[in-house]
Amino acid sequence: MKRHELLHYVDTSMGTETPKWALLGDGITSLSEEMNPEEETQQWINQENGDSEVKSYTPSIEVEKQDCIDDDAQAWIDKMVDEMPTGSAAVTSYVRFRLRDKVSDGVYTAYKRQCVVVVNSTGGDAGGNVVNNIKLGGKGSAVKGTFDVAKKTFTEGAAG
């Protein structure tokens, strides 16, 4: 699978209306969803090796986007950088899916996760495009469903 076949959309409505999904793509050269596992390891005095347990995950995405394409994602990032929301005003959702997980034409098995938007930086080098860096920090568990690319809608629980 190539990187362009793993898509991430962010809800630019920030939960204030019907979700408005924008593709995180143009202007972004790298995007990884870090799972951030919390592990616990114990070793008893009678054991040669310890035991590990995964307690939880708190996924997050670092988004470093060049301001080179005027699209919905850029308009939203500009708003986040300008307003630097906090508390409940910084909460939205993102959706992740693989193109190989096709349910029907343009519809894919997807996972939606609530997240908090953290503005890290804006600026860049002389002569270059402005680069904005934000983080989408996961909140709670993901919800499985489907994402319709043409309609830009997520439907909970309808995954195949």
Side-chain angles (χ1 to χ4, degrees):
M1 184 172 85
K2 299 283 187 175
R3 178 60 184 93
H4 70 276
E5 297 172 304
L6 175 63
L7 302 179
H8 289 79
Y9 281 74
V10 64
D11 178 8
T12 62
S13 76
M14 300 298 291
T16 59
E17 55 191 61
T18 302
K20 185 177 178 189
W21 299 104
L23 175 64
L24 295 174
D26 290 333
I28 301 170
T29 59
S30 179
L31 187 148
S32 295
E33 186 173 5
E34 300 296 333
M35 299 308 172
N36 303 314
E38 182 180 345
E39 299 176 80
E40 183 174 73
T41 303
Q42 296 228 349
Q43 182 175 357
W44 309 120
I45 61 172
N46 63 327
Q47 294 176 318
E48 182 176 347
N49 298 303
D51 295 320
S52 293
E53 180 180 323
V54 178
K55 295 174 68 177
S56 67
Y57 292 93
T58 309
S60 66
I61 299 173
E62 293 281 340
V63 179
E64 185 173 281
K65 185 177 186 312
Q66 290 186 35
D67 190 348
C68 59
I69 303 283
D70 286 331
D71 60 7
D72 292 339
Q74 187 61 55
W76 174 74
I77 288 173
D78 287 346
K79 182 179 178 184
M80 296 300 97
V81 169
D82 292 345
E83 296 180 2
M84 293 187 292
T86 60
S88 62
V91 176
T92 192
S93 297
Y94 68 86
V95 171
R96 171 184 37 84
F97 62 93
R98 296 173 187 87
L99 294 179
R100 70 178 178 204
D101 295 336
K102 183 177 177 179
V103 175
S104 61
D105 285 341
V107 179
Y108 304 90
T109 298
Y111 293 86
K112 181 176 84 168
R113 182 175 302 280
Q114 195 173 42
C115 62
V116 62
V117 179
V118 178
V119 176
N120 289 320
S121 65
T122 187
D125 297 330
N129 292 324
V130 168
V131 176
N132 297 296
N133 185 293
I134 64 169
K135 176 181 173 182
L136 305 178
K139 291 178 65 71
S141 297
V143 175
K144 187 176 182 179
T146 58
F147 191 82
D148 184 318
V149 174
K151 296 177 183 175
K152 291 187 179 178
T153 55
F154 176 83
T155 304
E156 185 176 330

